[in-house]
Structure formats: structure tokens, C-alpha cells
């Protein structure tokens, strides 16, 4: 990783000489951190401009679907109807819904209602009803590039406590996004999220995490949304990953149903989740699924 001659073209594909591009961050910032024992990302996790552009194009589909669903989600709608829309919109725009057939997942998106933490399977038998809160999670592949985002939707009028959970979870996601700073550890993200959840006595899910994304569906780094005892991988400009906290009204603990996907709260109370795909930049981060 560090044997490049200073006058060679930079490994990132910028076309600049290494000494005018990544040399400074590689040698003067990352090497000392590495010596101090911080895990630093392998170079394959640092994406080039072309790859980032590809993720942004993919994200246009993901975001358009999430936006359209804001108007579509109504009491009486089945989650299969949501899935049908997601599949058609994605394919009509040249994309592939990443969840479909992913490790045997049978549908094109995840629809997680009320006590479902994540990975709810759309079904013609499942009707949204007034007062439900539902997370719809969309991952699109376009020209090989993945973008992953999810939002909460309130079905008709929901209770104040459900609304509070939805809003606080969104606040958690944005606080996590604000904690993305180059050369800081990924663990900063979970630390700020956990502090907010604690104020409300909410549980922070530990079994599912954010993840590197872009050229694969799930890659390093692992992005824990809960408090860490020690710093984890250093964030470096060019890394792309998701921040997708799942916050529970009660216990953080969950369990998986017999379908091997649906992950629900152990105590039957509500769970909420919001997700964005972000790019680490020189001065913070850029949300790619805006
Ligand atoms: N989109 C989910 C995530 O945020 C993963 C869903 S995997 C599936 O990582 F197979 F359930 F679709
Ligand atoms: Co994700
Ligand atoms: Co997702």
C-alpha cells in the first residue's frame, strides 16, 4: 500500500501524481494511526470518482422510490403492492432490486411494520392499517453500483409515542451522519447515537449494523450503532457506507421468526429505522441517497 513512487499516478485513479494526491493522507495521517493500533481500511474500500458517480446514479432510483412512497402509503395498502411498485420502478429505470434473491430473500424490498425491527417480507396478506409505522428499505443496483436507504412511513394518524420513536430515530441517524469525519473512528457514530437513545430510554439494536456499500451490498466497515468500548476502523475519504440505526421503544434485543428473515423486538414493542448511504469526504461526509 505504501510502496508507490511519489511521481507515479495516484492509486485512486484521479490522474494526479501520488505526491499531489493521496500521499499526504496515506503517509502522514494513516501510518501514525496504524502504528497507534487503529484499524485502517484496506485500499479497496476507498472508491474513485467514477465509482462514486455510479453510486449516485443508482441512488437516484432509490430516492425516487422512497419519495414516491410518501404519497402512496395509505391504510389498506398491502406490502405486496409496495413491493410490486419497487420492482417495476427499479426495472423500468434499468436497475435491479438488490434484495430479490439475495441470500434467498424472496422480494424486492423490506417492509418492517411496528415491532418488526428489519427484514420484513412483503406479502399480499399483510395490509397496512391506520396507526402503523413501517420502515421501507430500498437497495438498488444500477450498472453494478449499490445504493441503500430506508425511511419510516406513518400510516394515517399514529400515536404520539410512535411518532416520537420515529422522530428520535431519524435524529439518531442524522447525529451519526454528523459524526462522520475523516481520520476519526467509525465508533464515533454509534457513540453519538447511543447517547441520544439513552435520553429516551430507548434500546439500540446490536444484531444488525450499517455496512460498506457501493460495489458490494454488504462490505466493511461494520458500522455499529451502539456504544463501543474501543475505537473501530478509521474513516478515510472515499469510503462509502450506510448509517441505519434501529431504535426500539423497549429492549434492544430481538429475535428472528421462522421465515428466517423477519427480525422482531423480543418484547413486542415498537422499532424504527432510518438509513442513508454516505461518502466520507475531506471535511466530513456527503449523503449519497439525498
Ligand atoms: N437493505 C438492508 C440493509 O440495509 C438489507 C436487506 S437484505 C434483504 O442492509 F435480503 F433482506 F433484502
Ligand atoms: Co443497509
Ligand atoms: Co437498507
Amino acid at each position: 500500500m505504501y510502496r508507490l513512487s511519489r511521481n507515479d499516478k495516484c492509486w485512486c485513479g484521479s490522474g494526479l501524481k501520488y505526491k499531489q494526491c493521496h500521499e499526504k493522507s496515506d503517509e502522514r495521517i494513516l501510518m501514525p494511526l496504524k502504528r497507534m493500533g487503529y484499524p485502517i481500511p484496506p485500499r479497496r474500500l476507498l472508491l474513485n470518482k467514477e465509482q462514486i458517480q455510479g453510486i449516485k446514479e443508482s441512488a437516484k432510483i432509490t430516492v425516487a422510490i422512497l419519495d414516491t412512497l410518501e404519497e402512496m402509503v395509505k391504510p389498506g395498502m398491502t406490502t405486496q403492492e409496495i413491493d410490486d411498485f419497487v420492482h417495476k420502478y427499479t426495472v423500468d429505470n434499468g436497475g435491479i432490486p438488490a434484495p430479490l434473491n439475495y441470500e434467498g430473500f424472496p422480494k424486492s424490498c423490506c417492509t418492517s411494520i411496528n415491532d418488526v425491527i428489519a427484514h420484513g417480507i412483503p406479502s399480499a396478506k399483510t395490509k397496512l392499517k391506520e396507526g402503523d409505522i413501517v420502515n421501507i428499505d430500498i437497495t438498488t443496483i444500477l450498472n453494478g453500483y449499490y445504493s441503500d436507504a430506508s425511511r419510516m412511513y406513518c400510516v394515517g394518524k399514529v400515536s404520539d409515542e410512535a411518532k416520537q420513536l420515529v422522530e428520535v430515530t431519524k435524529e439518531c441517524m442524522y447525529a451519526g451522519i454528523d459524526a462522520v469525519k475523516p481520520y476519526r473512528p467509525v465508533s464515533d457514530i454509534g457513540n453519538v447515537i447511543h447517547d441520544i437513545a439513552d435520553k429516551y430510554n430507548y434500546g439500540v439494536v446490536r444484531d444488525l449494523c450499517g455496512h460498506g456499500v457501493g460495489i458490494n451490498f454488504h462490505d466493511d466497515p461494520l458500522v455499529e450503532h451502539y456504544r463501543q468500548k474501543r475505537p473501530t476502523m478509521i474513516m478515510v475519504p472515499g469510503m462509502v457506507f450506510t448509517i441505519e440505526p434501529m431504535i426500539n421503544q423497549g429492549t434492544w434485543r430481538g429475535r428472528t421468526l421462522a421465515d428466517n428473515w423477519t427480525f422482531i423486538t423480543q418484547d413486542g414493542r415498537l422499532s424504527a429505522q432510518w438509513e442513508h448511504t454516505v461518502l466520507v469526504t475531506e471535511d466530513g461526509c456527503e449523503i449519497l441517497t439525498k
Side-chain angles (χ1 to χ4, degrees):
M1 183 162 179
Y2 300 103
R3 297 250 171 77
L4 207 55
S5 144
R6 301 188 64 228
N7 286 310
D8 285 346
K9 284 215 166 44
C10 189
W11 54 265
C12 75
S14 65
L16 296 174
K17 288 183 175 171
Y18 180 57
K19 67 182 178 189
Q20 293 155 339
C21 196
H22 275 86
E23 184 193 44
K24 181 168 171 282
S25 57
D26 281 359
E27 302 284 342
R28 288 193 226 153
I29 306 175
L30 289 177
M31 284 311 273
L33 287 168
K34 191 177 182 178
R35 277 194 298 271
M36 287 160 69
Y38 289 92
I40 65 163
R43 217 173 248 173
R44 70 175 178 85
L45 297 183
L46 311 185
L47 307 191
N48 64 37
K49 286 207 168 67
E50 186 185 327
Q51 292 168 319
I52 289 158
Q53 194 48 41
I55 300 167
K56 286 184 177 175
E57 294 300 322
S58 167
K60 285 182 188 165
I61 297 177
T62 297
V63 173
I65 291 170
L66 290 168
D67 284 347
T68 307
L69 286 167
E70 304 271 356
E71 306 302 318
M72 281 175 69
V73 169
K74 292 264 156 42
M77 187 183 200
T78 71
T79 51
Q80 182 60 50
E81 291 171 310
I82 294 172
D83 198 72
D84 290 342
F85 164 70
V86 172
H87 188 273
K88 184 169 190 324
Y89 188 96
T90 304
V91 171
D92 286 352
N93 286 278
I96 301 167
L100 188 59
N101 301 320
Y102 173 76
E103 293 183 8
F105 192 80
K107 300 286 174 170
S108 296
C109 65
C110 299
T111 50
S112 303
I113 304 171
N114 297 338
D115 62 326
V116 180
I117 297 171
H119 302 163
I121 303 174
S123 160
K125 290 185 201 145
T126 308
K127 253 193 192 144
L128 298 175
K129 57 181 196 313
E130 180 93 17
D132 283 347
I133 57 170
V134 58
N135 173 275
I136 306 178
D137 193 335
I138 305 298
T139 311
T140 305
I141 315 172
L142 182 68
N143 303 320
Y145 295 110
Y146 290 74
S147 58
D148 187 6
S150 79
R151 295 182 195 165
M152 294 302 294
Y153 298 83
C154 292
V155 184
K157 206 176 147 32
V158 309
S159 70
D160 288 344
E161 59 166 20
K163 208 175 295 163
Q164 178 182 279
L165 177 69
V166 167
E167 288 310 310
V168 171
T169 304
K170 191 199 241 180
E171 185 188 334
C172 284
M173 176 186 67
Y174 280 113
I177 290 172
D178 283 341
V180 176
K181 297 277 180 269
Y183 313 114
R184 292 288 313 165
V186 166
S187 44
D188 283 2
I189 297 167
N191 292 343
V192 300
I193 290 172
H194 210 143
D195 284 349
I196 296 172
D198 277 351
K199 286 198 285 183
Y200 296 86
N201 253 311
Y202 288 158
V204 182
V205 172
R206 308 168 82 103
D207 304 81
L208 298 168
C209 296
H211 50 91
V213 70
I215 50 181
N216 295 299
F217 197 166
H218 294 107
D219 209 331
D220 288 338
L222 190 65
V223 181
E224 292 95 343
H225 304 108
Y226 55 99
R227 194 173 291 114
Q228 297 297 300
K229 288 208 175 67
R230 51 186 76 77
T232 60
M233 190 180 279
I234 295 296
M235 298 184 271
V236 176
M239 284 171 93
V240 175
F241 52 79
T242 70
I243 297 178
E244 49 180 304
M246 286 142 278
I247 306 294
N248 297 349
Q249 263 183 333
T251 177
W252 60 268
R253 289 177 195 276
R255 63 187 177 91
T256 307
L257 296 186
D259 62 18
N260 276 323
W261 281 104
T262 312
F263 191 56
I264 67 167
T265 57
Q266 207 172 69
D267 59 9
R269 299 185 71 194
L270 299 175
S271 181
Q273 178 179 30
W274 291 80
E275 176 176 27
H276 267 313
T277 295
V278 304
L279 163 71
V280 184
T281 62
E282 293 296 338
D283 51 11
C285 80
E286 181 183 347
I287 300 175
L288 299 182
T289 44
K290 242 215 199 33

